[in-house]
Amino acid sequence: MSIRQATRRKILELGEDLMQKRGFNAFSYHHISSELGIKNAAIHYHFPSKESLGRQIIKNTHERFSKWISHPEHRVLPVAEQLDWLIKIYQYNLEKENRVCLIGSLATDYYTLPLSMQAGIRKLSADVQNWLAQLLEGGRQQGVLSFEGKSRDKALTILTSLAGSLQLARLLGNEMFHKVVEQIHLDLKLTY
Amino acid sequence: MSIRQATRRKILELGEDLMQKRGFNAFSYHHISSELGIKNAAIHYHFPSKESLGRQIIKNTHERFSKWISHPEHRVLPVAEQLDWLIKIYQYNLEKENRVCLIGSLATDYYTLPLSMQAGIRKLSADVQNWLAQLLEGGRQQGVLSFEGKSRDKALTILTSLAGSLQLARLLGNEMFHKVVEQIHLDLKLTY
DNA sequence: GATTTAATTTACTTATTAGTAAGTATATTA
DNA sequence: TAATATACTTACTAATAAGTAAATTAAATC
């Protein structure tokens, strides 16, 4: 693989960061090129259109998620630890200079996005939702957590809360994220 | 008042709508002027800068909220109905072609916003948070609802969930909003 | 070492953006 | 009805955006 594609990887990393910090419409190729010390046209070589860059960023995030949840080591972890893993992703974004999650960022931009990006982010959010619903259902059956209602609805409530708290943390301070996480735990009566 | 300021009001209405549908960076004066059948410069007459327009939209939303929560008729309503009123605001946005809430929209745009708008949206979100925390605390003391933990943390969990669900509803369908609302009610063990 | 492929720069284009200055029409008021 | 604000339009500017074509450099392969 050598040095080739190194710029491509840097573009993707920075693009992801910019999307989660500023949103898809509020970053330009110039943000990336100036940071990396290259020219705009170099980015167009790797990603002919901004849409293609956005698509790939969504794809990468989706693949990271899919690989992880299907990983043998991960699947045997206790429910509480799998939930913690999900929360750690959000916490990682919080600590990376208050990124919001990719889904939340693209959801507010949604109607301004190219159709291929809309489809990509829809698929990702559906997968996350399904995974968490299954995890909660399993946990309830095992008796390590408890909640009222359908596991799918509870999953949605938690996911929206996590996404929303990354956003509100920008306005109200980062401590509130941890309080929301604590509250989610309380609401689940989680036992470790 | 006559016909004067009618255009100004229409600009503010449309601006608010665009901010909640597309975000602050993804709408231009052209979106407004073409829709209203006027010229861009007419908007600049009423709002010299986009920042001044954005500021006023936040201010209006804040004033609507403040007026309502301090209204004598509203303050004597049962806790459950006051909570319903809050949820109805979100539902109204959902039904208005999937607007997201102003706070959520501006939170994802936050680092790209003029400082005056950042300050405005911070104040608004703090006020909403404080109001809901007090409402929940009162409700718990009255025994019409119950939850674990601090009322402030529970308020944050609910607010983030509502904001997040307007966003996720764009990706996963509007039914999920109602499910999240149902789940919030279940989690509060609310009695009417 | 020559050739081919990959990666990048230079130099553009076209479109859109917020914003301005000067002039014109429409009300309102003295 | 003349004077005066108010509410615009016309006609710009300057900046920034994404994207392209052609030339150039760097790297890998034959």
Side-chain angles (χ1 to χ4, degrees):
Chain A
M1 194 157 290
S2 76
I3 202 150
R4 275 172 50 197
Q5 303 283 43
T7 303
R8 187 188 144 94
R9 275 197 304 276
K10 283 183 202 164
I11 292 168
L12 283 165
E13 253 175 62
L14 234 173
E16 190 175 312
D17 191 64
L18 285 163
M19 259 168 88
Q20 294 182 233
K21 273 196 197 118
R22 305 177 53 95
F24 188 68
N25 296 305
F27 84 87
S28 71
Y29 275 30
H30 183 70
H31 282 105
I32 297 176
S33 59
S34 64
E35 177 76 26
L36 297 185
I38 57 177
K39 301 294 166 188
N40 273 11
I43 306 174
H44 279 284
Y45 170 75
H46 293 284
F47 302 98
S49 67
K50 202 180 172 189
E51 173 176 4
S52 65
L53 172 59
R55 243 186 348 238
Q56 191 59 50
I57 290 169
I58 297 170
K59 212 174 178 183
N60 287 354
T61 301
H62 200 152
E63 272 172 14
R64 277 201 307 269
F65 177 78
S66 299
K67 266 187 195 156
W68 185 242
I69 62 164
S70 62
H71 195 286
E73 277 186 48
H74 181 259
R75 294 178 69 94
V76 297
L77 286 177
V79 170
E81 282 178 44
Q82 289 193 50
L83 184 66
D84 268 2
W85 166 79
L86 178 75
I87 290 170
K88 282 236 170 67
I89 295 175
Y90 288 84
Q91 198 178 328
Y92 173 79
N93 284 321
L94 181 83
E95 283 158 8
K96 272 247 171 177
E97 295 166 293
N98 287 274
R99 285 191 192 176
V100 297
C101 78
L102 191 67
I103 292 174
S105 170
L106 292 179
T108 61
D109 289 341
Y110 192 69
Y111 297 116
T112 73
L113 297 179
L115 293 179
S116 70
M117 287 182 66
Q118 293 187 356
I121 200 67
R122 270 201 313 273
K123 276 200 304 177
L124 172 58
S125 64
D127 277 9
V128 175
Q129 178 207 19
N130 289 331
W131 171 80
L132 183 58
Q134 275 184 27
L135 184 75
L136 293 176
E137 185 56 35
R140 179 154 65 172
Q141 278 169 21
Q142 288 172 36
V144 297
L145 51 79
S146 92
F147 56 89
E148 302 287 318
K150 292 183 197 161
S151 57
R152 173 165 304 268
D153 301 350
K154 187 65 184 174
L156 286 168
T157 307
I158 291 174
L159 284 176
T160 52
S161 210
L162 286 171
S165 66
L166 282 185
Q167 292 167 22
L168 268 201
R170 291 179 167 184
L171 311 183
L172 300 174
N174 286 4
E175 323 80 58
M176 67 135 287
F177 174 83
H178 300 102
K179 292 184 174 180
V180 168
V181 167
E182 213 177 301
Q183 190 65 44
I184 290 173
H185 279 110
L186 278 173
D187 286 349
L188 282 173
K189 298 165 205 75
L190 206 94
T191 52
Y192 280 88
Chain B
M1 195 156 291
S2 78
I3 202 152
R4 273 171 52 196
Q5 304 281 45
T7 303
R8 187 188 144 94
R9 275 196 304 275
K10 283 183 202 163
I11 292 168
L12 282 166
E13 253 176 61
L14 235 174
E16 190 174 313
D17 192 63
L18 285 163
M19 257 168 89
Q20 294 182 233
K21 274 198 196 115
R22 305 177 53 94
F24 188 68
N25 296 305
F27 85 86
S28 71
Y29 275 29
H30 183 71
H31 282 105
I32 297 176
S33 59
S34 64
E35 177 77 27
L36 297 184
I38 57 177
K39 302 295 165 185
N40 273 11
I43 307 173
H44 279 283
Y45 170 74
H46 292 284
F47 301 97
S49 66
K50 202 181 173 189
E51 174 176 1
S52 66
L53 172 59
R55 240 183 355 231
Q56 191 60 50
I57 289 169
I58 296 170
K59 212 173 176 181
N60 288 353
T61 300
H62 201 152
E63 272 172 14
R64 278 200 308 270
F65 177 78
S66 298
K67 266 185 195 157
W68 185 241
I69 62 163
S70 61
H71 195 287
E73 278 186 50
H74 181 259
R75 293 178 70 94
V76 296
L77 286 176
V79 170
E81 282 179 43
Q82 290 193 51
L83 184 66
D84 268 1
W85 166 79
L86 178 75
I87 289 171
K88 283 235 169 69
I89 296 176
Y90 287 84
Q91 199 179 327
Y92 172 79
N93 284 321
L94 182 84
E95 283 158 7
K96 272 243 169 181
E97 295 167 293
N98 287 275
R99 287 190 192 178
V100 296
C101 77
L102 190 66
I103 294 175
S105 169
L106 292 180
T108 61
D109 288 342
Y110 192 68
Y111 296 117
T112 73
L113 297 178
L115 293 181
S116 71
M117 289 182 65
Q118 293 188 356
I121 200 66
R122 268 202 315 272
K123 276 200 303 178
L124 171 58
S125 64
D127 276 9
V128 175
Q129 177 208 20
N130 289 330
W131 172 80
L132 182 58
Q134 275 183 27
L135 184 76
L136 293 176
E137 185 56 35
R140 178 153 66 172
Q141 277 169 21
Q142 287 171 38
V144 298
L145 51 79
S146 90
F147 56 90
E148 301 286 320
K150 294 183 196 160
S151 56
R152 173 164 304 271
D153 300 351
K154 187 66 183 174
L156 286 169
T157 306
I158 291 173
L159 284 175
T160 52
S161 209
L162 287 170
S165 67
L166 282 184
Q167 294 166 23
L168 267 200
R170 291 178 166 184
L171 311 183
L172 299 174
N174 285 4
E175 324 81 58
M176 69 135 285
F177 174 82
H178 300 102
K179 293 185 173 178
V180 167
V181 168
E182 212 178 301
Q183 189 65 44
I184 289 172
H185 279 110
L186 277 174
D187 286 349
L188 283 173
K189 297 162 205 76
L190 207 93
T191 52
Y192 280 87

